[in-house]
Amino acid sequence: MFLKKISLYNYKNFSEATFEFDSKINCFVGKNGVGKTNVLDAIYHLANGKSYFNPLAVQNIKHQEEFFVIDGEFEKADRIEQIVSSFKKGHKKILKRNSKPYEKFSDHIGFIPLVIISPADNDLIIEGSETRRKFMDTVISQLDPSYLQGLIQYQKILSQRNALLKYFALNHVFENDTLSIYNEQLNGLGQEIFEKRKQFIEAFLPIFNKHHQTITDSSETVQLGYESHLLEQDTLTLLEQNLSKDRALQYTSVGIHKDDLAFQIDNYPIKKFGSQGQQKSFLIALKLAQFEFVKKQSGEKPILLLDDIFDKLDETRVSKIVEMVNQDEFGQLFISDTHPERTENIVKTTRQSYKIFNL
């Protein structure tokens, strides 16, 4: 599978632009601010129905314009697949496959397997648990549509339970029977999501460790752990035990929506005790493991987007990635970089076909 062509209309800084791609390596080079990352983000947008960097659709429209359109042509299983994402101010976003609109965007997730490695990934380390849960959910959802549907349903019921807790507090009432209905539903869905997350971490961990050892030449010991209330108790018991707390807070304080991933180096949080280089190695290993995991499970090589990473890595880490390209580990690759000569020198060593776009 690969992206043959993309056309952008009023997307971010582009009024109108079309790019035709090589099936292996494509590089966008130029100064900061010319739109290199925006092209990569448009590709991500076609795979996931939203921007990687700014999920607010209206903020992806070029200034002074009313709409944007991203039109992509993919070759997948010897067929041409046209994916179009468009948005007009005051209207709903539209996502189409071969001219047919999706009723639910979630039906599209996983159709175009894709992994992005970007400086913005640092948020996985410095931000709160929601960012790390989103990473875990993104990987599982690409491969398991029922997981994504369960997650959407869980969030919907969670919102209803939270609204009910607010209603109780506001009106000084309490109806245990009504609350119990939501508790039962959260219990069933929560247990299923928990089991799938646990299975994912068990399968993902050896792949992550392998990539981390390769990148660092086994010089560091890191840990990736799954943290969940459900490791101790089932959701129903947790909700009953925390009822007084939830009523006081007016929201649901326990459950799989509080799960987290623990990123550690030598058993200490990498956020506090890892150097910048160690954090970068951890994140790149995490994303390369995501790539391999999706490839193994789906049987397809995902499209890989490398946003500005050669500017942030030392020569050793760059050479490790190039080595993987030489071994034909990757399918189609997109790279953004500020140094045209450096980029060309790197891709020449891969012995793969490539195209360079100067922006």
Side-chain angles (χ1 to χ4, degrees), residues 3 34 65-66 129 154 178 187-188 213 238 271 352 357:
L3 176 60
V34 294
E65 300 295 343
E66 291 297 308
S129 61
Y154 181 93
T178 315
N187 184 51
Q213 284 171 1
L238 286 164
K271 179 180 177 178
Q352 304 276 4
F357 301 88

Side-chain angles (χ1 to χ4, degrees), residues 45-46 48-50 57 67-71 82-105 108:
H45 207 129
L46 289 178
N48 293 279
K50 61 183 178 182
F67 70 95
F68 74 71
V69 177
I70 310 166
D71 186 342
Q82 187 192 28
I83 308 295
V84 178
S85 179
S86 60
F87 175 73
K88 187 177 182 181
K89 285 178 183 175
H91 294 73
K92 280 187 176 180
K93 192 194 286 185
I94 298 168
L95 187 64
K96 293 180 183 178
R97 176 182 162 197
N98 300 328
S99 303
K100 187 181 176 183
Y102 281 97
E103 285 183 29
K104 295 184 293 185
F105 280 18
H108 178 64

Side-chain angles (χ1 to χ4, degrees), residues 143-341:
L143 301 158
D144 185 351
S146 67
Y147 176 84
L148 182 57
Q149 294 309 320
L151 205 56
I152 291 166
Q153 191 62 19
Y154 181 93
Q155 291 296 343
K156 188 178 168 186
I157 293 160
L158 181 67
S159 296
Q160 290 169 341
R161 187 182 192 268
N162 289 344
L164 189 64
L165 289 166
K166 284 188 176 70
Y167 173 83
F168 289 162
L170 209 63
N171 294 279
H172 307 290
V173 293
F174 178 67
E175 298 164 16
N176 193 50
D177 290 350
T178 315
L179 198 67
S180 294
I181 296 166
Y182 292 125
N183 291 358
E184 291 283 355
Q185 290 175 315
L186 288 178
N187 184 51
L189 288 162
Q191 193 62 39
E192 207 172 306
I193 291 163
F194 166 70
E195 293 297 340
K196 286 184 177 180
R197 284 179 178 172
K198 205 165 59 163
Q199 287 164 16
F200 161 69
I201 292 297
E202 283 168 10
F204 187 80
L205 197 53
I207 303 170
F208 165 74
N209 285 332
K210 179 190 78 175
H211 281 290
H212 191 270
Q213 284 171 1
T214 302
I215 291 166
T216 62
D217 287 322
S218 307
S219 61
E220 296 161 7
T221 307
V222 291
Q223 294 83 31
L224 173 62
Y226 176 38
E227 297 179 341
S228 177
H229 295 133
L230 272 71
L231 289 164
E232 306 295 329
Q233 297 274 14
D234 63 88
T235 306
L236 206 54
T237 308
L238 286 164
L239 292 172
E240 285 164 2
Q241 286 176 347
N242 288 273
L243 178 59
S244 300
K245 184 183 175 184
D246 287 359
R247 287 182 69 183
L249 293 169
Q250 298 173 42
Y251 65 81
T252 309
S253 62
V254 287
I256 55 103
H257 58 286
K258 296 290 182 182
D259 286 0
D260 200 355
L261 292 175
F263 294 169
Q264 295 181 321
I265 184 160
D266 296 324
N267 295 305
Y268 291 98
I270 199 162
K271 179 180 177 178
K272 289 181 181 176
F273 295 94
S275 68
Q276 280 193 337
Q278 287 169 329
Q279 290 181 3
K280 278 177 205 160
S281 294
F282 191 101
L283 290 168
I284 289 166
L286 195 72
K287 289 304 193 84
L288 290 176
Q290 177 189 354
F291 180 92
E292 186 179 330
F293 183 82
V294 172
K295 183 173 80 169
K296 273 185 176 176
Q297 299 289 327
S298 68
E300 283 189 273
K301 290 177 181 175
I303 291 170
L304 182 62
L305 311 178
L306 302 177
D307 176 34
D308 200 27
I309 67 161
F310 293 148
D311 208 33
K312 306 288 187 286
L313 294 178
D314 58 44
E315 215 170 290
T316 312
R317 290 186 180 96
V318 169
S319 68
K320 295 285 183 191
I321 291 172
V322 171
E323 199 177 299
M324 291 178 76
V325 178
N326 284 338
Q327 292 166 0
D328 210 25
E329 295 281 325
F330 302 135
Q332 193 179 26
L333 196 61
F334 291 86
I335 297 165
S336 72
D337 193 17
T338 48
H339 297 77
E341 283 180 17

Side-chain angles (χ1 to χ4, degrees), residues 13-25:
N13 69 315
F14 291 97
S15 294
E16 190 174 336
T18 296
F19 304 96
E20 293 191 16
F21 298 124
D22 186 271
S23 63
K24 289 304 291 183
I25 301 175

